[in-house]
Amino acid sequence: MITGLDHVVVLTSDIAAAGAAYETLFARTPSWRYSGGGADRTLFTLDNTSLELVAPHGDDDAAQRIRSALVTQGEGLASLCFRTSDIAKTHRRLDRLTLKPEPVTEVESRDETSGAVLSWKRTRAATDATRGVRMFFLEREQERPLSVRTTTASITAMDHVVVSTADPERAAALYGARLGLDMALDRSHPEWGRLMFFRCGDLVVEVTHRPGKSETDAPDRLRGICWRVADIDATRARLIAAGVDVSEVRTGRKTGTRVMTVRNGTCGVPTLLVQPSQGKPD
């Protein structure tokens, strides 16, 4: 049913500032910009997924809903959009699994810079059925253009997106049995709790449960993103030169990996960078 993670949505109150911040972080230009449906949107498309910045535009109901969400939760990760090869089949499956999908709609956008047009079909599952995480499902035939690298030591791809849960058994059932993602890891540790990896194309949906969390009816939350880099030392030097606050490089949990934390310039999204064990410099 799901072939990959098409994109993640990040809400922001200032689309220009957010776009500039992510252009600095990624060292890549935006791949697509358009307005409509009460929002301004800027997308960055990396090797395996896209990040979509969304800010309210105008005064219609859609724009007011985005403003309300910003007041309630602030800037940050807002939703996941999974890619599928057959939206009609996906809609039927979501319905059978009582995920209460909305009717499939057709959407079109025109890039403000190139004038090119992209179209797609999408549906959305009911948020109360997906344990509080907003999930969309999208079918498109055309590929978005890749974000052009502006310098070396750029971000290459997403490594994983993090979901925190108070009920790991129900979360495992949702992402594994119901959405059909392949569970690649299920590990528990007394200090950092339970950790589950679900493969989603060329990245992972990481579901975490912290020790001492007993409120199993609390909603799941999108917590952060980890991006891949080829040379973490070069990336760190580039970001420091650009005025971005980053941590020292440290050894990652996975053998052979090196990671660092990005402390600002992410629109409130907790952000980690990782150099995989097989990583090679640009």
Side-chain angles (χ1 to χ4, degrees), residues 91-106:
H91 189 276
R92 290 193 296 271
R93 177 173 171 80
L94 293 172
D95 189 47
R96 289 197 302 271
L97 294 171
T98 65
L99 292 174
K100 299 179 282 186
E102 295 178 349
V104 174
T105 57
E106 296 189 17

Side-chain angles (χ1 to χ4, degrees), residues 153-164:
S154 62
I155 307 299
T156 61
M158 182 184 289
D159 190 78
H160 59 271
V161 59
V162 181
V163 179
S164 67

Side-chain angles (χ1 to χ4, degrees), residues 176-221:
R178 302 175 82 187
L179 295 183
L181 302 182
D182 176 33
M183 180 184 276
L185 177 75
D186 185 358
R187 184 174 297 168
S188 296
H189 190 278
E191 291 185 5
W192 42 259
R194 187 171 176 183
L195 187 65
M196 295 176 282
F197 288 176
F198 295 89
R199 290 194 182 96
C200 185
D202 184 30
L203 54 85
V204 164
V205 177
E206 177 182 309
V207 179
T208 63
H209 175 253
R210 300 300 182 189
K213 299 292 185 180
S214 58
E215 299 176 4
T216 58
D217 58 343
D220 294 352
R221 299 294 185 195

Side-chain angles (χ1 to χ4, degrees), residues 54-235:
V54 175
H57 177 87
D59 295 312
D60 62 12
D61 289 345
Q64 294 302 337
R65 284 195 295 271
I66 297 171
R67 290 190 179 93
S68 178
L70 285 166
V71 169
T72 301
Q73 65 192 48
E75 292 188 323
L77 268 173
S79 59
L80 304 177
C81 183
F82 294 103
R83 188 167 181 178
T84 178
S85 58
D86 188 332
I87 194 68
K89 184 176 180 180
T90 297
H91 189 276
R92 290 193 296 271
R93 177 173 171 80
L94 293 172
D95 189 47
R96 289 197 302 271
L97 294 171
T98 65
L99 292 174
K100 299 179 282 186
E102 295 178 349
V104 174
T105 57
E106 296 189 17
V107 184
E108 182 178 279
S109 75
R110 182 181 301 274
D111 179 50
E112 293 177 358
T113 302
S114 67
V117 174
L118 288 175
S119 58
W120 59 92
K121 300 174 183 178
R122 75 177 185 189
T123 185
R124 175 187 168 188
T127 304
D128 61 350
T130 55
R131 298 194 46 77
V133 175
R134 288 166 52 90
M135 291 185 190
F136 293 82
F137 302 83
L138 173 152
E139 177 193 348
R140 56 183 172 86
E141 296 181 359
Q142 306 145 294
E143 296 296 329
R144 296 189 196 95
L146 284 174
S147 290
V148 176
R149 298 186 187 205
T150 57
T151 185
T152 57
S154 62
I155 307 299
T156 61
M158 182 184 289
D159 190 78
H160 59 271
V161 59
V162 181
V163 179
S164 67
T165 184
D167 191 334
E169 295 303 330
R170 289 186 179 180
L174 172 62
Y175 291 94
R178 302 175 82 187
L179 295 183
L181 302 182
D182 176 33
M183 180 184 276
L185 177 75
D186 185 358
R187 184 174 297 168
S188 296
H189 190 278
E191 291 185 5
W192 42 259
R194 187 171 176 183
L195 187 65
M196 295 176 282
F197 288 176
F198 295 89
R199 290 194 182 96
C200 185
D202 184 30
L203 54 85
V204 164
V205 177
E206 177 182 309
V207 179
T208 63
H209 175 253
R210 300 300 182 189
K213 299 292 185 180
S214 58
E215 299 176 4
T216 58
D217 58 343
D220 294 352
R221 299 294 185 195
L222 292 170
R223 288 302 186 195
I225 299 177
C226 179
W227 302 101
R228 294 178 196 152
V229 300
D231 184 336
I232 199 164
D233 295 308
T235 302

Side-chain angles (χ1 to χ4, degrees), residues 245-262:
D245 184 11
V246 295
S247 72
E248 296 291 333
V249 175
R250 59 191 183 275
T251 301
R253 285 182 182 172
K254 184 177 179 181
T255 303
T257 62
R258 303 173 70 214
V259 302
M260 71 177 178
T261 302
V262 180

